[in-house]
Amino acid sequence: MEPPGHPARCHDVSTTPPVLAAELAQAWADIQRHHPELPDLAAPESLIGESSSACGAELSFERLLHEAVHGIAASRGVRDTSRAGRYHNRRFLAIAEELGLDHPEEPHPSSGFSLVTLNPEARKRYRPTMERLQRALKAHTAATTADTARSFRGPAARHGSSGGGVRVKAVCDCGRNVRVVPSVLAQAPIVCGGCGKPFRIPEAVGAGVG
């Protein structure tokens, strides 16, 4: 339970994106229990609807674990990619192996060791987490498919925008920042893991003054 006055992590649990974001945050926390140096996931909503050919186009627990490798690399100050983040080098692979990801083949010419897969031990360790996240992903897919069939979603969706709009910088009181689609931030607060305060878009705050 959140302490009094603490911003809620998810206001409207009846809407699918916040529910899925909460499950992503829980799955990330499960990874942190095994790898405490992994930083907090500041904006789980940013992974929903985002496609990355270098890190895995489909949102899944395997993709989340891949992102966790990048998180640990960042916390260690390790440069794990090159070529604008597309080529995943052997330093990425070394951390991936720590987290239970394998890459049995030679590196891909353009993406390196990006196409890692769960090894049997990790699959067993995270089975309950994977099953819970998979249920949330299926519910999200079903809800968004039904919504698309009956709703007008605006020009961004009609023209195939993978993220639902342009990402802008949102900041918190301790100075950290994330890139987020404004409509995603409007669904529910995104809370900073460092100071516990919600991220906000400075331009939006400034526009409302006066």
Side-chain angles (χ1 to χ4, degrees), residues 28-102:
W28 191 266
D30 290 347
I31 300 170
Q32 284 180 313
R33 277 195 284 274
H34 295 281
H35 303 278
E37 67 181 308
L38 176 63
D40 290 339
L41 182 61
E45 292 89 344
S46 67
L47 293 173
I48 301 172
E50 182 181 78
S51 177
S52 170
S53 58
C55 296
E58 182 180 355
L59 183 56
S60 64
F61 181 75
E62 200 167 74
R63 162 82 185 281
L64 198 65
L65 204 58
H66 179 125
E67 298 291 350
V69 175
H70 291 306
I72 289 180
S75 71
R76 295 178 182 177
V78 172
R79 186 178 179 184
D80 61 340
T81 64
S82 59
R83 303 178 193 173
R86 182 169 181 79
Y87 190 88
H88 293 56
N89 58 35
R90 290 189 182 276
R91 290 185 288 275
F92 170 86
L93 180 59
I95 300 173
E97 288 173 345
E98 292 179 36
L99 271 65
L101 292 165
D102 288 338

Side-chain angles (χ1 to χ4, degrees), residues 16 19-20 23-24 58-61 130-146:
T16 304
V19 171
L20 179 54
E23 289 295 348
L24 287 166
E58 182 180 355
L59 183 56
S60 64
F61 181 75
M130 293 169 63
E131 291 175 350
R132 189 177 63 243
L133 182 58
Q134 187 60 33
R135 285 195 295 271
L137 286 166
K138 284 183 177 179
H140 172 71
T141 299
T144 53
T145 300

Side-chain angles (χ1 to χ4, degrees), residues 1-9 11 191 195-197:
M1 182 176 180
E2 298 288 357
H6 194 285
R9 291 180 183 272
H11 284 317
V191 179
C195 67
K197 299 294 181 62

Side-chain angles (χ1 to χ4, degrees), residues 168-172 176-180 185 199-202:
V168 300
K169 184 170 76 172
V171 300
C172 68
R176 298 176 72 195
N177 65 80
V178 296
R179 306 292 296 186
V180 63
L185 191 62
F199 285 93
R200 64 188 188 282
I201 301 172

Side-chain angles (χ1 to χ4, degrees), residues 111-132:
S111 61
F113 295 98
S114 69
L115 301 177
V116 285
T117 57
L118 277 166
N119 66 28
E121 183 181 349
R123 194 173 296 278
K124 181 178 180 181
R125 177 191 307 145
Y126 293 113
R127 186 179 302 280
T129 302
M130 293 169 63
E131 291 175 350
R132 189 177 63 243

